[in-house]
């Protein structure tokens, strides 16, 4: 295959990040895209001027020169668009997180899993941030086997999206689904185990309280904690705060085991780093053995071109490298439908636990 030719559904902020990173790949291009918002479509055309602009998903699926499809539409659109693709032209598919938002969609996903004839990859790009990839690779050796994992995300509030869909739980699935499915995915991956109980406490403490959309105030949480127990006896915790953009690092991961600890520190998007503070922080990895005691820190720099192409520490590029190889027939999906499904189920359980004050078994939705 000389070129991997993408068809893209949705070219808003994240879709444009995908487009910029596809442009950096050798032998890959955007052949066509569907974006209903005129302003976003114009920005997408500026990134991929050779791409055909179409007026619907069906028109996109009718474009002959496509090798794969990428869904980057608002969260609540994913399942219906996946079904439309399956019924019309089931090409290799990369679908953005969260895979779904409505717990009632689990039955549809089961049918989809059992019948879709092409590979499906869920876009959990945090796995491919260089410092997190190294963290995952070295965690077992550094810890002697992870017993306890914590993930802290201290970041900026939700950005403005077309139609303000990300202000309401009914469109996002809730913050623990929309934003935190990344971290639940990393927990499952790092622990090598399945979640059996989720306990969460969260609220809308600061953000969006003074906003009004047709008489409605946003209902998305902006801060909270979630504790996850796994079937191998390990535990993981998430700490989320979305009014903490003054932090040097946006994500901090810590894994501890019988022989030591390993930590990853991930800076936020460089475009948000204040110029008067000088150069933005560099991602770093720290290992802290129990014997001999003493942390050892390593900078994990990312190619500036990749940092410029997106907000996710280079991960979108590395994800597309692997996905494009899959489209060419090399290997299998690294982030499966099951992985994306489990991460959302954990998020739904966290939302439910925060609402009810009760521990919740995420396997209800898996």
């Amino acid at each position: 295959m000389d070129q991997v030719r993408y068809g893209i559904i949705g070219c808003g902020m994240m879709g444009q990040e995908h487009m910029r990173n596809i442009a950096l790949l050798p032998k890959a291009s955007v052949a066509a895209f569907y974006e209903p918002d005129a302003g976003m479509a114009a920005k997408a055309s500026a990134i991929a001027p050779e791409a055909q602009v179409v007026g619907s998903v069906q028109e996109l699926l009718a474009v002959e020169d496509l090798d794969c499809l990428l869904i980057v539409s608002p969260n609540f659109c994913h399942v219906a668009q996946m079904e439309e693709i399956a019924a019309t032209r089931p090409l290799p598919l990369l679908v953005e997180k969260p895979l779904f938002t409505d717990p009632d969609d689990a039955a549809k996903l089961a049918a989809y899993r059992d019948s879709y004839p092409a590979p499906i990859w869920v876009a959990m790009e945090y796995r491919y941030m260089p410092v997190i990839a190294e963290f995952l690779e070295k965690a077992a050796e550094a810890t002697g086997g992870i017993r306890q994992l914590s993930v802290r995300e201290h970041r900026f509030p939700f950005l403005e999206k077309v139609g303000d869909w990300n202000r309401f739980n009914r469109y996002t699935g809730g913050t623990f689904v929309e934003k935190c499915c990344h971290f639940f995915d990393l927990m499952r991956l790092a622990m090598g185990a399945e979640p059996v109980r989720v306990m969460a406490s969260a609220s809308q403490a600061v953000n969006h309280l003074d906003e009004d959309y047709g008489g409605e105030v946003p209902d998305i949480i902006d801060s909270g904690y979630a504790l996850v127990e796994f079937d191998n006896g390990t535990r993981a915790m998430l700490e989320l705060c979305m009014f903490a953009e003054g932090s040097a690092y946006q994500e901090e991961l810590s894994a501890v085991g019988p022989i030591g600890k390993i930590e990853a520190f991930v800076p936020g998007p460089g475009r948000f780093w204040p110029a008067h503070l000088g150069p933005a922080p560099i991602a770093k990895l720290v290992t802290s053995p129990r014997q001999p005691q003493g942390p050892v820190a390593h900078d994990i720099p990312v190619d500036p071109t990749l940092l410029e192409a997106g907000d996710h520490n280079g991960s979108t590029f590395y994800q597309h490298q692997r996905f494009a190889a899959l489209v060419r027939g090399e290997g299998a999906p690294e982030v499966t439908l099951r992985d994306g499904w489990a991460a959302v189920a954990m998020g739904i359980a966290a939302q439910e636990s925060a609402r009810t004050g009760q521990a919740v078994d995420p396997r209800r939705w898996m």
Side-chain angles (χ1 to χ4, degrees):
M1 183 182 295
D2 185 51
Q3 282 275 323
V4 173
R5 297 161 298 186
Y6 285 77
I8 302 182
I9 301 170
C11 295
M13 190 180 301
M14 190 62 203
Q16 291 165 33
E17 176 171 326
H18 280 285
M19 296 176 84
R20 288 191 295 270
N21 282 275
I22 291 167
L24 296 175
L25 289 173
K27 297 185 177 180
S29 61
V30 179
F33 69 83
Y34 166 54
E35 170 50 60
D37 181 80
M40 289 298 177
K43 291 181 179 180
S45 287
I47 298 169
E50 302 301 318
Q52 181 179 344
V53 184
V54 300
S56 68
V57 172
Q58 282 298 311
E59 285 185 38
L60 179 71
L61 297 175
V63 174
E64 185 174 340
D65 292 333
L66 296 182
D67 301 302
C68 60
L69 296 165
L70 167 60
I71 296 177
V72 206
S73 55
N75 301 359
F76 61 94
C77 299
H78 294 175
V79 172
Q81 290 169 345
M82 290 168 64
E83 290 182 319
E84 190 171 0
I85 290 165
T88 307
R89 192 177 175 190
L91 292 168
L93 177 62
L94 176 62
V95 56
E96 257 297 346
K97 63 81 198 168
L99 182 63
F100 66 106
T101 58
D102 185 345
D104 291 339
D105 281 338
K108 296 178 182 178
L109 287 170
Y112 201 88
R113 174 197 60 205
D114 295 340
S115 63
Y116 197 79
I120 304 168
W121 185 307
V122 182
M124 295 292 191
E125 65 267 3
Y126 276 52
R127 294 185 180 205
Y128 301 104
M129 291 180 176
V131 68
I132 292 181
E134 192 156 345
F135 173 93
L136 293 167
E137 180 183 345
K138 295 184 175 179
E141 180 181 359
T143 65
I146 301 173
R147 299 296 187 272
Q148 185 172 311
L149 172 69
S150 66
V151 179
R152 171 188 288 176
E153 182 173 62
H154 282 191
R155 57 161 277 168
F156 49 91
F158 279 119
L159 299 174
E160 294 182 5
K161 298 291 181 75
V162 173
D164 302 301
W165 63 267
N166 65 338
R167 294 307 199 250
F168 297 97
N169 289 332
R170 64 180 178 272
Y171 300 130
T172 68
T175 303
F176 278 134
V177 171
E178 203 288 332
K179 183 71 201 72
C180 302
C181 62
H182 280 303
F183 308 125
F184 295 130
D185 176 61
L186 292 177
M187 289 177 184
R188 268 184 81 244
L189 184 61
M191 297 307 199
E194 295 297 337
V196 296
R197 188 160 70 142
V198 175
M199 294 157 282
S201 176
S203 70
Q204 185 180 3
V206 174
N207 296 342
H208 316 301
L209 294 171
D210 58 351
E211 297 176 8
D212 183 286
Y213 300 93
E216 281 193 276
V217 175
D219 61 357
I220 48 174
I221 64 172
D222 59 16
S223 52
Y225 298 90
L227 179 66
V228 183
E229 294 181 353
F230 290 86
D231 61 5
N232 63 355
T234 61
R235 292 173 177 82
M237 186 187 78
L238 167 67
E239 176 185 329
L240 174 71
C241 182
M242 299 187 68
F243 42 91
E245 60 266 43
S247 308
Y249 291 97
Q250 182 167 291
E251 287 92 20
E252 301 177 15
L253 284 69
S254 173
V256 187
I259 68 171
K261 178 172 74 171
I262 186 169
E263 299 167 280
F265 297 85
V266 187
R271 64 191 175 107
F272 296 148
W273 184 252
H276 73 273
L277 294 179
I282 296 173
K284 66 178 178 179
L285 190 77
V286 181
T287 53
S288 302
R290 297 178 72 185
Q291 295 293 335
Q293 293 183 19
V296 179
H298 303 276
D299 285 346
I300 310 293
V302 177
D303 185 332
T305 302
L306 302 187
L307 294 177
E308 185 70 23
D311 291 340
H312 296 87
N313 207 242
S315 61
T316 304
F317 174 81
Y318 295 116
Q319 176 180 253
H320 276 289
Q321 268 191 330
R322 290 163 168 79
F323 178 71
L326 171 74
V327 175
R328 293 188 177 98
E330 302 168 19
E334 295 179 14
V335 190
T336 65
L337 186 75
R338 174 172 171 74
D339 293 325
W341 188 338
V344 171
M346 294 166 74
I348 292 172
Q351 290 284 140
E352 182 73 5
S353 178
R355 185 183 67 82
T356 64
Q358 303 297 312
V360 177
D361 188 338
R363 293 171 293 184
R364 288 167 52 186
W365 298 283
M366 295 169 65

